[in-house]
Amino acid sequence: MKIYGVTGWKNAGKTGLMERLVSEITGRGFTVSTLKHAHHATDADQKGTDSYRHRDAGAQEVLLASGKRWALMHELRGAEEPSLEALLARMSPVDLVLIEGFKREPHPKVEAYREAAGNPLIARENDTVRAIATDTPLDIDRVQFDLDDTSAVADFILQEVGL
């Protein structure tokens, strides 16, 4: 599978860019999955649901299945967080996996950057950032796109991964 990342600080527009990229690239006929790094306390399950109660009781894994989707929740129970490579190995094959977060991993990335967020540019310290989707012109030697030009960012990513 081809992989490409979207990174950026909070409020930089990365989740919106991810959402638009998934729509754009799947609209071109490619299969896309996403992998998002979440904060430590994030929980996809809700307290009180049956699956939550199973996990709370000590289950290592809970697989929730219906006629429309399934989700596997795995509790680490003190074990180390799995590597990006280990997580990707658990995913079904697709044309492209878009990865949100994991800014320190070695895969190529586009950085989402909003000037108003007031955060430093990750690309200045991280050469795995191959391009920047930004709301303002920047003085840096990387390819730059308008943050809202999803088609151009998608073109760039697809060219980078050879699709």
Side-chain angles (χ1 to χ4, degrees), residues 4-96:
Y4 215 90
V6 173
T7 194
W9 299 109
K10 184 177 180 180
N11 298 320
K14 63 187 174 298
T15 301
L17 179 58
M18 283 279 291
E19 181 181 12
R20 293 190 313 273
L21 285 169
V22 170
S23 181
E24 176 75 23
I25 295 170
T26 59
R28 295 181 188 193
F30 295 102
T31 55
V32 177
S33 289
T34 65
L35 196 162
K36 177 179 176 25
H37 192 263
H39 297 287
H40 179 71
T42 298
D43 193 342
D45 208 358
Q46 300 299 313
K47 190 172 186 168
T49 62
D50 293 351
S51 53
Y52 183 95
R53 291 172 61 190
H54 296 180
R55 288 187 309 127
D56 195 44
Q60 185 74 25
E61 289 188 331
V62 174
L63 197 145
L64 182 61
S66 75
K68 292 197 178 245
R69 71 188 54 86
W70 64 268
L72 177 63
M73 292 171 280
H74 179 94
E75 291 296 316
L76 293 176
R77 306 252 182 245
E80 279 192 38
E81 181 177 352
S83 68
L84 176 59
E85 184 177 298
L87 294 169
L88 287 167
R90 297 187 66 93
M91 297 182 79
S92 298
V94 292
D95 296 319
L96 176 65

